């Protein structure tokens, strides 16, 4: 008997093998197909890798219960309905750095937007007002909160929820506490309210020295949206910051992400859409503001983000800054020809130990080289 196989038969065998492989691949509709599908991830990545790094070890999901619960342990969340399947690989970034492509808009190029962030389940209204959280391990899931959360506890998780704040912050972690995670949530504010003529400054504030995680969140309105020295900020959509005049009669500066220096840990800013459309006359500062206000800026990773707006799109840490890695980012021209009103980057310390600037491009593909710090 001949052992030769015709070309058509060989093609048929290859097709059958391919279909068999696809049939066992991980998908958003069958998240149990892979042990790598995290319960707090938007979908299982096609590569089978975790969708994003976390600030701590993965949390074991407890049995799912009704929306609107506040429990002592995280619960499994269903896959998002009507949202596109994630194509991110490990670290929340696409397999090909986005800075290598020409990008017309964040969502079109795989960056977070309104369709890929925020709650994935129906929400239950909770008129909490100001609420202090003092229960370790508490999980708030499925809540539509009118108020703010002040965290005096360890390992608190806010997931698949919405916060509309009229306070200084949406969520605030106090010094001495750790393990805060804010995932798949919408955090916004009421313009014109708050203690400082509408000074709803921080969507998520980390007042302590431990790392926190903020991922897959839709953040808007706040003047300084994500404020911390150390943390893991990934896959978030920060937009529509609201300028306001503070009690001193001046326009309050606005930043999508702000860090004041003196940090004790690592700040990771990876695969976010960070927009600051505030005009230069209304207090625009940066889309990412790394400022040496309270000490030297150190150990910050800014990787694979879509960045647009501000006076400068990025403030790079200034004199003395070390360990600042800015890689594979897209600086968009959607508000200004040079991303920020005055340019892409200011106060970049090119000679700082461990500082790296690599493969950062404008959204039209132009390679960016920072000017020397003055």
């Amino acid at each position: 008997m001949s052992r030769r196989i015709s070309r058509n038969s060989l093609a048929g065998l290859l097709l059958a093998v391919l279909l068999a492989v696809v049939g066992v691949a991980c998908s958003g509709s069958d998240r149990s197909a892979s042990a790598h599908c995290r319960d707090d991830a938007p979908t299982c990545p096609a590569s089978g890798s975790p969708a994003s790094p976390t600030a701590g070890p993965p949390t074991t999901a407890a049995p799912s219960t009704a929306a609107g619960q506040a429990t002592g342990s995280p619960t499994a969340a269903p896959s998002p309905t009507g949202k596109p399947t994630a194509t991110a690989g490990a670290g929340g970034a696409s397999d090909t750095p986005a800075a290598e492509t020409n990008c017309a808009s964040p969502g079109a190029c795989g960056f977070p937007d309104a369709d890929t962030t925020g709650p994935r389940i129906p929400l239950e209204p909770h008129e909490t007002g100001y609420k202090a959280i003092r229960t370790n391990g508490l999980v708030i899931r499925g809540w539509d909160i009118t108020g703010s959360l002040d965290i005096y506890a360890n390992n608190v998780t806010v997931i698949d929820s919405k916060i509309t704040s009229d306070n200084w912050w949406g969520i605030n972690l106090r010094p001495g506490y750790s393990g805060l995670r804010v995932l798949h949530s919408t955090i916004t504010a009421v313009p014109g309210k708050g203690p400082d003529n509408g000074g709803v400054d921080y969507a998520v504030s980390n007042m302590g020295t431990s790392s926190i995680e903020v991922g897959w969140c839709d953040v808007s309105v706040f003047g300084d949206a994500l404020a911390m020295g150390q943390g893991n900020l990934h896959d978030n959509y920060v937009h529509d910051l609201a300028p306001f005049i503070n009690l001193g009669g001046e326009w309050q500066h606005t930043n999508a992400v702000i860090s004041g220096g003196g940090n004790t840990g690592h700040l990771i800013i990876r695969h976010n859409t960070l927009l600051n459309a505030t005009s230069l006359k209304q207090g625009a500062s940066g889309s990412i503001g790394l400022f040496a206000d309270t000490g030297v800026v150190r150990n910050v990773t800014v990787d694979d983000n879509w960045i647009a707006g501000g006076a400068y799109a990025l403030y790079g840490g200034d004199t003395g800054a070390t360990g600042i890695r800015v890689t594979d980012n897209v600086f968009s021209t959607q508000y200004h020809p040079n991303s920020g009103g005055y340019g892409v980057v200011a106060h970049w310390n090119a000679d700082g130990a461990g500082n790296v600037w690599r493969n950062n491009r404008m959204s039209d593909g132009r390679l960016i080289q920072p000017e020397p710090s003055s």
Side-chain angles (χ1 to χ4, degrees):
M1 179 182 295
S2 173
R3 300 180 60 88
R4 295 180 62 186
I5 301 175
S6 70
R7 183 173 301 176
N8 290 339
S9 299
L10 180 59
L13 288 173
L14 291 175
L15 178 60
V17 171
L18 178 60
L19 290 174
V21 172
V22 172
V24 300
C26 178
S27 69
S29 61
D30 185 8
R31 299 179 60 172
S32 63
S34 169
H36 295 291
C37 295
R38 284 178 44 195
D39 287 323
D40 56 6
T43 59
C44 181
S47 64
S49 303
S52 164
T54 60
T59 304
T60 301
S64 179
T65 57
Q69 66 186 350
T71 64
S73 61
T75 58
S79 298
T81 301
K83 293 188 177 183
T85 302
T87 57
S94 58
D95 294 334
T96 301
E100 294 181 2
T101 68
N102 292 340
C103 296
S105 67
C109 292
F111 289 96
D113 60 14
D115 290 331
T116 58
T117 56
R120 303 164 294 176
I121 61 175
L123 305 181
E124 178 181 303
H126 286 262
E127 300 280 346
T128 65
Y130 166 84
K131 185 176 182 64
I133 303 297
R134 304 182 186 275
T135 303
N136 290 337
L138 181 71
V139 173
I140 294 175
R141 177 171 174 263
W143 285 25
D144 186 350
I145 295 171
T146 302
S148 60
L149 302 178
D150 202 3
I151 312 297
Y152 293 85
N154 297 316
N155 302 318
V156 172
T157 298
V158 180
I159 186 169
D160 287 314
S161 294
K162 179 180 180 180
I163 294 176
T164 304
S165 174
D166 59 2
N167 201 346
W168 277 105
W169 56 76
I171 302 173
N172 180 53
L173 180 66
R174 291 288 176 169
Y177 299 94
S178 63
L180 174 64
R181 304 174 77 204
V182 184
L183 307 173
H184 298 291
S185 294
T186 294
I187 310 168
T188 189
V190 181
K193 292 189 177 181
D196 193 12
N197 285 4
V200 189
D201 280 348
Y202 312 113
V204 182
S205 168
N206 183 3
M207 297 177 67
T209 58
S210 66
S211 182
I212 70 176
E213 181 182 6
V214 183
W216 304 288
C217 288
D218 184 324
V219 180
S220 62
V221 176
F222 297 88
D224 287 324
L226 302 176
M228 61 197 68
Q230 47 278 319
N232 182 4
L233 311 178
H234 63 85
D235 301 284
N236 300 293
Y237 174 45
V238 182
H239 59 103
D240 292 310
L241 304 183
F244 63 91
I245 296 176
N246 60 30
L247 291 180
E250 300 175 338
W251 285 103
Q252 184 70 34
H253 288 169
T254 59
N255 298 271
V257 175
I258 186 170
S259 181
N263 52 310
T264 59
H266 192 181
L267 177 60
I268 299 171
I269 307 169
R270 176 171 284 129
H271 199 239
N272 303 277
T273 297
L274 303 173
L275 309 179
N276 186 354
T278 306
S279 74
L280 297 175
K281 295 180 179 180
Q282 292 181 306
S285 183
S287 289
I288 299 177
L290 306 178
F291 301 113
D293 292 337
T294 59
V296 173
V297 180
R298 59 175 71 89
N299 299 331
V300 180
T301 295
V302 180
D303 176 65
D304 189 33
N305 300 279
W306 176 282
I307 303 169
Y312 286 90
L314 170 67
Y315 287 81
D318 215 339
T319 303
T322 59
I324 315 300
R325 297 179 59 86
V326 183
T327 57
D328 295 320
N329 297 282
V330 174
F331 288 86
S332 171
T333 60
Q334 64 195 86
Y335 302 130
H336 306 286
N338 292 311
S339 195
Y342 299 130
V344 171
V345 57
H347 305 299
W348 172 251
N349 181 18
D351 297 325
N355 291 352
V356 175
W357 181 282
R358 184 179 65 239
N359 196 33
N360 299 293
R361 297 178 182 269
M362 303 296 291
S363 54
D364 58 13
R366 288 175 290 155
L367 190 66
I368 301 167
Q369 293 296 332
E371 296 179 2
S373 180
S374 56

